[in-house]
Amino acid sequence: MIFKSIGDGRPYPEHGLSHREWAQIPPRQVRLDSLITTKAVLDLHSLLAKDSTFYGDLFPHVVQWRGELYLEDGLHRALRSALHQRSVLHARVLDLPPGS
């Protein structure tokens, strides 16, 4: 098992963070098997592209909400980690309060 669950959409409220605001969150280690994806489908071109991280953040974006970790952006990076038999990855984690 790679992820805790495969989701399809974001169950948490909109956070409104810009790319610049995400960049202010320091990365931390997150276990792959604790993540719930927010995308059920991945384009293989994104997964296999040599420059897949060239234009985006180097770290996946994870939203922690109501005790769960949702992989909002960076599914291809997480899968690459799994393909390299890694159980953790470095990600930026936004902690949303449960009442949000």
Side-chain angles (χ1 to χ4, degrees):
M1 178 162 102
I2 298 173
F3 300 112
K4 180 176 182 177
S5 178
I6 307 298
D8 191 15
R10 301 173 185 173
Y12 50 87
E14 179 62 41
H15 51 70
L17 258 62
S18 67
H19 290 291
R20 183 178 298 260
E21 292 168 319
W22 272 108
Q24 301 303 311
I25 299 172
R28 70 176 210 211
Q29 285 189 344
V30 177
R31 291 189 52 83
L32 291 173
D33 62 4
S34 69
L35 294 173
I36 299 170
T37 69
T38 59
K39 297 177 186 170
V41 178
L42 174 71
D43 177 15
L44 282 177
H45 290 290
S46 296
L47 177 65
L48 302 174
K50 291 179 184 176
D51 64 348
S52 65
T53 60
F54 186 75
Y55 296 105
D57 194 343
L58 291 175
F59 301 102
H61 296 172
V62 173
V63 175
Q64 183 170 353
W65 186 63
R66 295 186 175 173
E68 300 289 358
L69 294 171
Y70 296 94
L71 180 61
E72 180 176 283
D73 183 49
L75 179 57
H76 60 288
R77 291 177 189 89
L79 284 173
R80 278 188 178 180
S81 292
L83 290 172
H84 286 100
Q85 299 180 349
R86 296 183 191 124
S87 59
V88 297
L89 77 151
H90 286 83
R92 301 184 192 279
V93 180
L94 172 67
D95 190 9
L96 279 183
S100 297

